[in-house]
Amino acid sequence: MRGIYTNIVEIRQKVFTEVARLAYEGGDYSRIINLPYKIIPGEVATYRESVFLERAIVEERLRLAIGLPLRKMTEHAPVSQGIEESAIAEKYYDPPLVNIIKFACHACPDGEVRVTDSCQGCLAHPCSEVCPKDAISIVNGRSVIDPDKCIRCGRCITACPYNAIIKMERPCSKACGVDAIGTDDLGRADIDYNKCVSCGMCLVNCPFGAIADKSQIFQTIHAIKSDTPVYAALAPAFVGQWGKDLPPEKVREAFKLLGFEDVIEVAVGADLCTIEEAHDFMEEVPDKLPFMGTSCCPAWSEMAKMLYPEYAKCISMALTPMVLTGRLIKKKHPGCKVVFIGPCSAKKLEASRADIRSDVDFVLTFEEVMGMFEAKEIDFTQITGADNLSGSSADGRGFAVSGGVANAVVNCIKELDPEREVKVMSAEGLRECRAMLDEAKKGTYDGYLLEGMGCPGGCVGGAGILQSPTKAKGQVKLIMKKAKNKGVLSSDYKDILKSLEEE
């Protein structure tokens, strides 16, 4: 469903817009009680069986977008509960970050094997012949599966010549690369937060819009309205995310219209990360470590350290581009606040860590920022600015796509040590990343640089994107070609390197 403007995307966008408008306008925030009726008008349900259910779900989405927790279904509480306390210019939300709105969950069947209407009632009935438990009988010439006998081995699925037998999978569970989603007592999806790395793939793959992460739009706008200058740190995947009417050269002026002091490309931090990881690899692999994994994707690095603790030291200790950019901004502008704006849900969790909270104050997705643009009614076609954001390298901008991080590190190593050969393996999506690490455990990738990306396609496939990953990848490739500097060491980074060493 990525890149498709579905009803779920429309509702999310309306929620983000109304929360942003609420924050910009200020005043009595208890008027949030009216917003579900604005977002879901009329008396007749549009998306579900009841207009009241639709509004109840929107109420919870509004709360999550403000950073408030879901309300208990067993207790009465107004939708505005806690909103006044959340109206601050500081980071605000309590775990968990990713939440399931239980009464929005369809309780999708998970793992059931079913015969579809495509069954032709064939004479051979290979499905029943291969079933080891005699779970398939023939009724009126067609196959019927006894769910009490079925062990879900899948032999019937493979044997059917018409592909008429399928195995049902819960979309959110199928999308979860760390198997963190199970089923509660009522058959609804349930998240095991001891496994969840907040990649957000479940929330963008749920076709019922039952999963949402908490936002910091409300607090970010309060910070913008304060006397403290607020800087936007823009992830490399931003290109084209807000449509053709907001090309990179107009972005700075657009963000200033939102109230930001200025915009800095996180690709600058990516260049610094490249240098750090290149030096780490050259010093550590293979003498001290069998391989080295990249560090920029928090979902990947968290998953690797959690599921493969014996190899946690093999994940680079280099700070992520987000953190390096935040530190550079705050060093140049003491006392300011930094908002990382990107495609990633897991970055919200990363920025909440105690050792990073002082570097990055807020994290917003491209989708959430679009709500701010709409709340301010900014017309991109009226923006006349033509301004380059930074002098970052092409390799730094390439961090947005799968393979881009490893490519940047390899190019840097080649400049530092032209004779050195660097073998690379990349994986995108946490399930694929796990398979890569399973092979690494066997010694398959000894001496390798391993690049892990939690989202399919890389950052351009993150949970907070507005464009399809394929289209976004093409846009990133175009801006890479326009970059003045191709490699990080071929550009003038002496002052930045000095700053990095001081940190």
Side-chain angles (χ1 to χ4, degrees):
M1 298 190 296
R2 313 312 307 283
I4 303 173
Y5 192 79
T6 64
N7 291 328
I8 295 170
V9 174
E10 181 181 17
I11 292 170
R12 276 207 309 256
Q13 200 59 65
K14 288 180 178 178
V15 167
F16 293 143
T17 299
E18 293 305 327
V19 167
R21 184 175 288 122
L22 192 70
Y24 274 122
E25 292 178 353
D28 181 10
Y29 296 120
S30 66
R31 66 184 187 280
I32 190 177
I33 61 175
N34 299 319
L35 295 183
Y37 294 86
K38 182 177 180 180
I39 295 170
I40 307 291
E43 300 179 9
V44 180
T46 304
Y47 312 106
R48 301 176 187 266
E49 62 271 23
S50 165
V51 70
F52 300 108
L53 176 60
E54 291 177 351
R55 288 179 182 139
I57 294 169
V58 166
E59 284 185 352
E60 297 307 319
R61 282 192 163 275
L62 286 166
R63 288 181 59 81
L64 292 173
I66 290 172
L68 296 169
L70 293 173
R71 294 172 295 177
K72 293 181 180 179
M73 293 175 62
T74 55
E75 299 176 6
H76 174 266
V79 65
S80 59
Q81 185 180 58
I83 192 170
E84 294 296 337
E85 292 82 358
S86 71
I88 57 176
E90 302 292 336
K91 191 172 294 169
Y92 180 93
Y93 76 81
D94 293 322
L97 175 63
V98 180
N99 300 261
I100 297 176
I101 305 172
K102 292 289 187 174
F103 52 87
C105 180
H106 188 63
C108 301
D110 192 20
E112 291 183 18
V113 178
R114 292 185 178 181
V115 179
T116 71
D117 290 341
S118 296
C119 176
Q120 300 298 300
C122 66
L123 183 63
H125 299 307
C127 55
S128 63
E129 297 296 333
V130 300
C131 180
K133 296 296 181 180
D134 295 323
I136 300 178
S137 56
I138 309 303
V139 179
N140 296 325
R142 299 171 70 86
S143 300
V144 177
I145 298 175
D146 183 344
D148 293 328
K149 292 183 179 180
C150 178
I151 59 172
R152 305 172 183 177
C153 65
R155 293 184 185 179
C156 59
I157 298 173
T158 304
C160 177
Y162 296 102
N163 297 316
I165 305 176
I166 62 172
K167 185 174 183 179
M168 301 287 288
E169 289 186 85
R170 194 192 301 271
C172 57
S173 179
K174 182 179 179 180
C176 180
V178 291
D179 300 320
I181 299 182
T183 305
D184 68 11
D185 295 338
L186 297 177
R188 303 167 303 191
D190 198 53
I191 298 176
D192 182 347
Y193 292 107
N194 291 320
K195 296 180 179 179
C196 178
V197 293
S198 300
C199 68
M201 287 297 100
C202 59
L203 69 91
V204 294
N205 280 282
C206 174
F208 288 91
I211 309 178
D213 62 343
K214 290 175 180 172
S215 174
Q216 299 169 5
I217 302 176
F218 203 57
Q219 293 75 32
T220 298
I221 295 173
H222 277 84
I224 287 173
K225 291 167 62 179
S226 71
D227 295 330
T228 302
V230 179
Y231 288 81
L234 202 52
F238 81 93
V239 192
Q241 287 294 325
W242 298 290
K244 61 181 178 60
D245 291 328
L246 190 61
E249 57 268 21
K250 288 187 177 183
V251 164
R252 174 171 276 119
E253 185 174 338
F255 271 75
K256 287 187 175 182
L257 291 174
L258 291 178
F260 287 96
E261 188 75 16
D262 202 357
V263 180
I264 292 86
E265 271 194 274
V266 175
V268 172
D271 284 332
L272 297 177
C273 181
T274 297
I275 296 168
E276 275 206 282
E277 291 198 343
H279 282 291
D280 284 352
F281 185 85
M282 295 175 68
E283 292 174 6
E284 303 288 335
V285 180
D287 296 336
K288 299 177 183 178
L289 297 174
F291 60 86
M292 191 186 85
T294 56
S295 66
C296 63
C297 173
W300 139 259
S301 61
E302 185 67 22
M303 180 276 292
K305 294 171 184 176
M306 177 176 64
L307 297 184
Y308 304 85
E310 68 273 30
Y311 292 100
K313 62 183 179 181
C314 293
I315 304 301
S316 173
M317 295 298 292
L319 296 172
T320 66
M322 175 185 78
V323 176
L324 288 166
T325 306
R327 288 191 176 181
L328 286 173
I329 294 172
K330 291 204 168 185
K331 185 169 186 177
K332 187 175 181 180
H333 307 284
C336 74
K337 290 187 182 295
V338 173
V339 183
F340 174 81
I341 296 168
C344 185
S345 174
K347 285 292 182 183
K348 297 179 182 181
L349 202 62
E350 179 189 352
S352 295
R353 286 174 13 202
D355 57 335
I356 293 175
R357 290 179 67 94
S358 61
D359 300 313
V360 179
D361 299 278
F362 305 103
V363 173
L364 297 179
T365 66
F366 299 137
E367 187 180 27
E368 291 164 347
V369 170
M370 189 63 187
M372 295 172 67
F373 283 132
E374 292 185 356
K376 292 286 283 185
E377 299 181 356
I378 294 173
D379 183 353
F380 298 149
T381 63
Q382 299 301 309
I383 297 175
T384 58
D387 192 4
N388 290 324
L389 292 179
S390 75
S392 60
S393 75
D395 282 347
R397 288 171 172 171
F399 267 52
V401 298
S402 179
V405 179
N407 182 68
V409 175
V410 169
N411 287 343
C412 185
I413 292 174
K414 284 181 179 178
E415 293 193 45
L416 294 168
D417 184 359
E419 301 300 318
R420 180 159 185 162
E421 179 188 0
V422 183
K423 294 180 286 187
V424 172
M425 177 55 65
S426 299
E428 52 186 84
L430 292 178
R431 208 169 293 282
E432 192 176 302
C433 288
R434 288 172 65 178
M436 179 174 69
L437 285 174
D438 285 337
E439 287 298 313
K441 286 178 65 175
K442 300 174 186 177
T444 306
Y445 299 132
D446 281 358
Y448 274 64
L449 172 68
L450 303 185
E451 182 201 88
M453 290 283 197
C455 299
C459 298
V460 292
I465 63 169
L466 289 163
Q467 302 293 338
S468 74
T470 302
K471 183 177 180 179
K473 181 178 180 179
Q475 294 289 317
V476 170
K477 294 291 185 182
L478 284 175
I479 198 172
M480 287 175 67
K481 290 181 180 179
K482 295 178 181 179
K484 180 180 178 181
N485 305 305
K486 302 305 176 185
V488 61
L489 292 185
S490 61
S491 47
D492 186 14
Y493 271 78
K494 292 181 180 179
D495 55 337
I496 301 179
L497 279 170
K498 183 179 179 181
S499 175
L500 180 62
E501 290 168 358
E502 290 174 355
E503 292 293 332

